[in-house]
Structure formats: C-alpha cells, structure tokens
C-alpha cells in the first residue's frame, strides 16, 4: 500500500531486506540481560531467565566419547517460549537507533523500518539515506554479536522510472539489487503492482489442487464433501495475502477463471465439450464466491487496521508528499475497495468511509 501510493505521488521507495547470519544463535546473553535490567526486570523476575540461559553447558559426542562441558554464552534456545520475546527485544534495541535518521516520510511521520520477527525491511527515499540506515544497523548489530549475511541481504527500488539503481555497501561488499523480493510469502515487485503475485498464487493453488486430485475428482464422494476439501485446503493457499491486493479488472478476470477451472476439474468437464461458465455453475449448483470472499477479507482487514490506529493505519490515511502523476492513474488498494462497495450501492468518499469504519456498529 505504501509503495503504490508513493508511485502515484512520483516518489521513489528504496528498501533493504536484512538477513542475519544465524540470528537466533548469536544473541549475546550478557548484553541481552543488561538490556532487560534497563526495563526494570530485577531479582526473582530475572532469576528464571538467568538459570535457563546463564547456566547452560554443552559438549560434543564423537562416537562414544564426550568432550569437556563448556558454558554457552550466546544464542536463544530453540522452541523456547521466550525466544520471540528475547530476540524481538534485542532487535528492537538495534532499530531504535534509527530514530534520528531519515527514512520514508508519511503524513509527517518518519518510517525507517518494517519488521516481523527476524524479517526486517529498511525504508528510505534515497540511496544516501538508506545507506545511513544500513550503516547504523550494521554497527549496532555487531555490538550485540549479530552480523549481516551480505549474500542474502538484498535491496529493491520501487519507482515510476525504469531501471533505477541503488548501490549499497556493507564492509566494502556490494548488496545485490533485486527486481522483486519474496517477503513473508508475498512477492514485492519493483513496479509496485500485485499482478505477478496473483499469478503465482493461482499457480500454487492449482498445484495444490492437483495434489488432492484423487479426492477432489473422486465421484464416489459427494460434491458437498469435495467442496469442503476445496475450501479448506485450496482456497486458503490462493487467498494468502489477498487482503493487500489492489484488484484490477485483469486480476478479477484471472481469479474468476481460476474458480471456474476448479469446478471444471472437479466435475471432469473437458474444454473440448465447449460448456460455458454459466452452465458449469448450474451443473455444480453453486454461485461464484471467490471474489466475494476476498472482498470480505479486505473489508475486515480495513476495519482492523483503522480501529487499531497504528502504523498500518498510516499507510492508508496519511498523505505522501509529492505531485500526482499526470494521465490515467493506477488502481490503488483503497480505490479498488471503494469501487467494489459502489457496485453494491455503498457510495462514500474515502474520508467518510474511514470514519464509518472506526465505528464497528456502522
């Protein structure tokens, strides 16, 4: 949402996707617990963590012989319930140092990073600002025992112009510039469009359908059971991340064609029979529901982020400085949702729609 709005205002968005080398194994215990003390956690509250981590020992077994036991002074335990909190807090302290640096300006707010657990993205409006952000992260990470994996760390430029360049360096190593990046299971392309992501989702869903072919095309099972399997195992794969899709007429056509493809396969209707889509729906005794389900997910998503009133809210409600591009404008996420609501008789301006969304009862 941020990138498509930035492109609309002729703004470039430069991103650096950070990857740490063995991140969970390199967190230093001394620095971590010193930072936890600064939170006000002392005495008996801190003792269980200290016993769990500070008193760890390990040895290596070679055949039937064991080496001497040594103390473990870094790393968080795998499958430990405290692992997300400990690592996220360590990451939080690193990225707090970015507060003084310039990132992406959004409605008067300075956004320098977006992160989910260990998956961190740095945001800036120019290569110089992004390099400063990266330098701060490298210095603070090394101070806490973490190091960047330069081979997996990549940068991406979202721009209206073609072939924009961004040269970033970490310890004299040049960071690879990608044309797209798979972040949290969704493809982020350099043109800020989601059509390639939708194509990929359709392909993955059709592959999942093929793996369940012996169930979904089994005529000994009732259509009701097969539809339940389809809803449970195939459609969630297709709709992953659909809350953030900006649905154009082309994307809508692709999704509806995929829905009919599932029905034709389930009912074993070959394309040579020349059965129209309307007849396929009539034989299956169902109505189209895929697009409706996606729109419902998007409306629920809109309600959550507006009422939460956090950073996600800024991506929709706040203004990005710049001048809008001339000519026909792109279909943005908000305009896509508004267009679908208008087709159903709900004709609200964007400001009015957001205000009504804040009140769940409306």
């Amino acid at each position: 949402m941020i990138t498509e709005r930035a492109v609309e205002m002729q703004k470039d968005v430069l991103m650096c996707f950070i990857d740490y080398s063995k991140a969970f194994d390199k967190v230093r215990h001394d620095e971590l617990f010193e930072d936890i003390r600064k939170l006000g956690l002392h005495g008996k509250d801190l003792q269980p963590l200290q016993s769990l981590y500070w008193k760890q020992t390990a040895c290596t077994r070679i055949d039937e012989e064991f080496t001497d036991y040594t103390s473990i002074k870094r790393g968080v335990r795998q499958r430990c319930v405290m692992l997300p909190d400990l690592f996220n807090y360590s990451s939080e302290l690193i990225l707090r140092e970015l507060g003084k640096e310039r990132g992406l300006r959004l409605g008067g707010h300075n956004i320098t990073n977006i992160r989910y657990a260990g998956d961190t993205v740095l945001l800036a409006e120019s290569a110089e600002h992004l390099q400063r952000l990266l330098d701060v992260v490298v210095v603070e990470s090394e101070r806490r025992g973490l190091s960047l994996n330069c081979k997996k760390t990549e940068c991406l430029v979202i721009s209206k112009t073609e072939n924009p360049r961004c040269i970033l360096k970490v310890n004299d190593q040049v960071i690879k510039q990608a044309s797209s990046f798979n972040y949290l299971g969704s493809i982020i392309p350099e043109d800020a469009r989601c059509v390639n992501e939708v194509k990929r989702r359709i392909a993955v869903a059709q592959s999942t359908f093929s793996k369940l072919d012996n169930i979904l095309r089994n005529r000994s099972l009732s259509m009701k059971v097969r539809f339940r399997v389809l809803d449970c195992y195939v459609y969630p794969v297709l709709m992953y991340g659909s809350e953030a899709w900006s649905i154009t007429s082309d994307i809508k056509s692709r999704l509806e064609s995929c829905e009919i493809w599932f029905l034709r396969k389930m009912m074993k209707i070959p394309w040579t029979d020349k059965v129209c889509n309307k007849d396929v729906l009539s034989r299956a005794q169902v109505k189209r529901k895929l697009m409706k389900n996606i729109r419902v997910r998007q409306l629920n998503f809109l309600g959550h982020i507006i009422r939460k009133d956090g950073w996600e809210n800024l991506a929709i409600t706040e203004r990005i400085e710049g001048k809008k591009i001339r000519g026909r404008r792109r279909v943005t996420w908000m305009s896509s949702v508004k267009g679908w609501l208008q087709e159903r008789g709900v004709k609200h301006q964007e400001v009015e729609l957001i205000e009504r969304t804040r009140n769940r009862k409306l």
Side-chain angles (χ1 to χ4, degrees):
M1 296 178 186
I2 292 175
T3 55
E4 69 180 12
R5 291 188 61 200
V7 169
E8 183 183 23
M9 302 302 294
Q10 304 185 69
K11 281 276 189 179
D12 293 345
V13 179
L14 289 83
M15 298 182 283
C16 181
F17 299 88
I18 291 176
D19 185 89
Y20 286 110
S21 298
K22 300 179 181 179
F24 293 99
D25 297 330
K26 290 189 175 181
V27 177
R28 291 177 180 169
H29 295 171
D30 293 340
E31 285 85 350
L32 178 61
F33 285 107
E34 185 61 32
D35 293 332
I36 291 177
R37 285 194 183 96
K38 294 179 182 178
L39 283 176
L41 198 64
H42 299 285
K44 294 183 179 180
D45 296 327
L46 192 59
Q47 284 180 2
L49 282 176
Q50 291 176 333
S51 300
L52 183 64
Y53 283 93
W54 277 4
K55 298 180 180 180
Q56 288 185 96
T57 58
C59 70
T60 303
R61 187 180 71 175
I62 302 176
D63 293 331
E64 297 300 327
E65 296 182 3
F66 293 85
T67 63
D68 296 334
Y69 280 84
T70 58
S71 298
I72 299 176
K73 298 182 179 180
R74 63 169 59 193
V76 287
R77 299 169 71 101
Q78 296 294 324
R79 299 182 182 179
C80 173
V81 294
M82 290 294 297
L83 185 150
D85 294 322
L86 294 175
F87 181 80
N88 286 344
Y89 183 63
S90 180
S91 174
E92 171 68 20
L93 293 176
I94 293 172
L95 296 172
R96 277 183 184 178
E97 300 299 325
L98 300 178
K100 298 179 182 179
E101 302 295 335
R102 184 180 178 102
L104 177 67
R105 303 294 295 180
L106 185 61
H109 299 272
N110 185 41
I111 301 178
T112 58
N113 66 91
I114 297 174
R115 63 188 185 274
Y116 179 82
D119 298 308
T120 304
V121 187
L122 302 180
L123 301 174
E125 296 177 356
S126 67
E128 293 78 13
H129 293 148
L130 187 59
Q131 182 66 62
R132 292 196 195 101
L133 294 176
L134 186 58
D135 291 340
V136 173
V137 171
V138 170
V139 172
E140 292 298 321
S141 298
E142 290 178 349
R143 193 165 69 85
R144 287 177 168 78
L146 299 175
S147 59
L148 263 64
N149 186 341
C150 295
K151 293 182 179 180
K152 292 186 178 180
T153 298
E154 298 182 4
C155 64
L156 177 67
V157 181
I158 307 293
S159 176
K160 183 70 175 175
T161 61
E162 295 183 359
N163 302 321
R165 295 293 299 162
C166 176
I167 300 177
L168 300 178
K169 292 184 179 181
V170 175
N171 299 327
D172 295 330
Q173 295 188 51
V174 178
I175 300 300
K176 175 185 175 183
Q177 181 177 348
S179 59
S180 63
F181 192 86
N182 189 336
Y183 183 67
L184 300 180
S186 295
I187 297 294
I188 301 178
E190 60 185 357
D191 61 356
R193 299 181 188 272
C194 61
V195 60
N196 289 333
E197 169 62 12
V198 174
K199 290 179 182 179
R200 190 175 73 95
R201 280 286 125 201
I202 291 175
V204 174
Q206 290 177 341
S207 176
T208 304
F209 183 96
S210 299
K211 293 177 182 178
L212 298 171
D213 194 72
N214 59 339
I215 297 175
L216 294 171
R217 302 184 68 187
N218 189 344
R219 291 185 175 178
S220 63
L221 298 175
S222 66
M223 288 297 293
K224 182 178 180 181
V225 171
R226 286 188 278 167
F227 278 129
R228 290 183 64 182
V229 173
L230 184 71
D231 292 340
C232 183
Y233 294 103
V234 179
Y235 278 138
V237 175
L238 175 61
M239 294 190 293
Y240 176 82
S242 61
E243 292 86 350
W245 291 349
S246 301
I247 300 178
T248 62
S249 58
D250 176 53
I251 292 176
K252 179 181 177 181
S253 176
R254 291 179 183 276
L255 291 170
E256 290 180 341
S257 297
C258 180
E259 184 179 18
I260 294 296
W261 186 88
F262 291 148
L263 296 180
R264 289 179 182 272
K265 289 291 184 180
M266 292 173 68
M267 301 180 66
K268 297 184 177 181
I269 302 176
W271 65 271
T272 53
D273 285 358
K274 297 183 180 179
V275 179
C276 66
N277 294 340
K278 185 177 180 180
D279 290 340
V280 172
L281 293 169
S282 177
R283 291 187 189 183
Q285 297 181 351
V286 295
K287 295 181 179 180
R288 292 183 182 272
K289 63 178 182 179
L290 177 58
M291 282 304 306
K292 180 180 178 181
N293 290 343
I294 291 176
R295 290 303 191 183
V296 169
R297 289 166 71 112
Q298 290 184 336
L299 290 178
N300 289 334
F301 179 64
L302 175 64
H304 289 323
I305 61 179
I306 293 298
R307 289 188 290 271
K308 183 181 178 182
D309 202 22
W311 289 109
E312 301 89 346
N313 191 341
L314 299 180
I316 293 180
T317 60
E318 296 295 341
R319 182 178 179 272
I320 295 179
E321 297 179 358
K323 186 177 181 181
K324 290 187 176 181
I325 57 177
R326 299 179 63 180
R328 184 177 181 180
R329 295 174 184 172
R330 289 187 179 185
V331 175
T332 62
W333 186 88
M334 199 65 186
S335 64
S336 172
V337 173
K338 283 171 52 183
W340 182 75
L341 290 174
Q342 289 175 359
E343 292 176 1
R344 279 145 185 80
V346 183
K347 298 182 179 180
H348 293 310
Q349 296 297 323
E350 183 173 332
V351 176
E352 183 182 1
L353 177 61
I354 291 174
E355 289 301 320
R356 290 177 66 87
T357 305
R358 293 186 187 276
N359 189 339
R360 188 188 292 270
K361 295 180 180 179
L362 297 178

